[in-house]
Amino acid sequence: MVEKVRREKEKAVKVSLVQFCVGPNPAENANALEALIRETAAADAPQLVLTPEASNVIQPDREVMMAQALPLEQDPVFAMGQQLAAELSVFLCLGSVLVAGEIPGSMVNRQILFSPMGEVINSYDKIHLFDVEIGDGQHYGESEIFTPGEEALLSALPDTPAVLGHTICYDLRFPALHQALAMAGANVLLIPAAFTQTTGRAHWHVLLRARAIETGSWVLAAGTCGEHAGERRTYGHSCVVSPWGEIVAELDSETEPGILAFDLDFEKVGAARKAIPALDHARTFHLSSSH
């Protein structure tokens, strides 16, 4: 059953986060994601919808994924997102899609922001790649097949006060990226993820709260959930975190798909940054070589 957390206020930027269990078949994932997006569009009328990282495929067999990787424009989730953004007249951010890269034999982990007319406003390639041996025996070597991004990215949403700072999953662990985005004007940090169950239980909430507190920004974190191919498990727990660092809305499940709808009050950004003007006080410094 799909859980819904309703918005608190009527006059704000309306957002919806989508959480679901991504499988190895992009066409099936496109159908599942479309159903959830249509549901929240009908029930919640969001201006911005955010989906998780790897919304098109989770496939632990690297050879299979590489062999099946499509160019961005041919990916079923990309095509669905572009069509649906225009049909529903919403800003739609695919948290990321895993698609063939421009370098032959490589892939990219790419976030796509569509306009309400179905146009691609911006795309962001994940900068920090997850090369880690998790305690549950799982190996994650993203740099073995993915080409990292090199540019941080902002997107202003026309006719709203929202300025989005684009990040993906493992980027969450690098505060300098989020500080740079906020200092450049971001007041909403997008953090779609496929956090593992192990690391999610240990670090997810505290890292999300820290990035919000450090920057005085809204944090939108849409996650995958459940058990995927190869017995991989992701943490879910999609969250909205206020600029004061409070988790103000959450899908409290590791396994259940859902929709998280909320209104972002941008007066809270100003209030948080006025109370703790850390962005204004940030200074460059030199690290002494003496011990």
Side-chain angles (χ1 to χ4, degrees):
M1 181 177 179
V2 175
E3 178 183 356
K4 298 176 184 173
V5 179
R6 297 300 174 185
R7 299 187 300 268
E8 287 186 337
K9 300 175 68 176
E10 288 300 318
K11 295 182 178 180
V13 173
K14 302 175 176 69
V15 300
S16 286
L17 281 58
V18 174
Q19 174 171 300
F20 78 118
C21 184
V22 182
N25 185 310
E28 292 178 1
N29 293 327
N31 290 336
L33 195 54
E34 178 179 354
L36 288 166
I37 294 171
R38 286 189 181 280
E39 179 173 347
T40 192
D44 308 301
Q47 294 161 273
L48 170 66
V49 177
L50 176 66
T51 76
E53 180 187 26
S55 282
N56 64 331
V57 62
I58 291 183
Q59 170 57 266
D61 189 320
R62 296 299 172 82
E63 292 186 3
V64 171
M65 185 159 68
M66 287 290 293
Q68 295 178 343
L70 296 171
L72 178 66
E73 291 76 10
Q74 298 176 27
D75 179 80
V77 169
F78 175 89
M80 177 277 299
Q82 186 170 45
Q83 183 273 327
L84 210 55
E87 178 187 337
L88 302 175
S89 297
V90 297
F91 292 99
L92 173 58
C93 184
L94 298 178
S96 82
V97 287
L98 312 184
V99 294
E102 287 73 20
I103 300 173
S106 72
M107 296 182 67
V108 291
N109 189 339
R110 182 164 292 170
Q111 187 171 113
I112 303 292
L113 178 64
F114 293 112
S115 77
M117 293 178 288
E119 299 168 338
V120 176
I121 296 175
N122 259 328
S123 65
Y124 163 76
D125 289 354
K126 186 177 181 180
I127 292 174
H128 300 98
L129 300 182
F130 193 52
D131 292 343
V132 178
E133 297 286 345
I134 299 297
D136 59 7
Q138 297 281 351
H139 168 70
Y140 297 83
E142 290 186 345
S143 67
E144 296 167 8
I145 59 171
F146 290 99
T147 300
E150 296 182 351
E151 293 186 357
L153 185 69
L154 296 176
S155 297
L157 292 189
D159 302 319
T160 81
V163 180
L164 311 179
H166 297 266
T167 80
I168 300 172
C169 199
Y170 192 45
D171 287 333
L172 173 59
R173 295 182 181 272
F174 299 87
L177 172 60
H178 299 82
Q179 182 188 50
L181 289 168
M183 292 182 74
N187 51 26
V188 180
L189 300 175
L190 303 181
I191 309 179
F195 245 61
T196 73
Q197 191 179 80
T198 300
T199 58
R201 290 175 178 177
H203 300 149
W204 177 243
H205 294 95
V206 68
L207 287 170
L208 293 175
R209 294 188 64 208
R211 299 297 86 85
I213 292 166
E214 292 161 352
T215 64
S217 302
W218 285 102
V219 166
L220 305 182
T224 60
C225 65
E227 183 172 325
H228 313 272
E231 298 184 349
R232 292 196 169 182
R233 297 176 177 85
T234 53
Y235 185 60
H237 286 269
S238 298
C239 290
V240 176
V241 187
S242 78
W244 196 243
E246 303 163 305
I247 297 173
V248 292
E250 179 176 5
L251 290 173
D252 189 15
S253 176
E254 297 180 0
T255 59
E256 293 298 316
I259 297 163
L260 192 64
F262 197 81
D263 281 10
L264 306 185
D265 179 355
F266 284 86
E267 290 184 359
K268 293 187 176 181
V269 174
R273 293 180 177 181
K274 182 177 180 180
I276 308 291
L279 296 177
D280 294 333
H281 293 164
R283 300 180 59 197
T284 58
F285 55 87
H286 299 285
L287 180 64
S288 173
S289 60
S290 62
H291 297 286

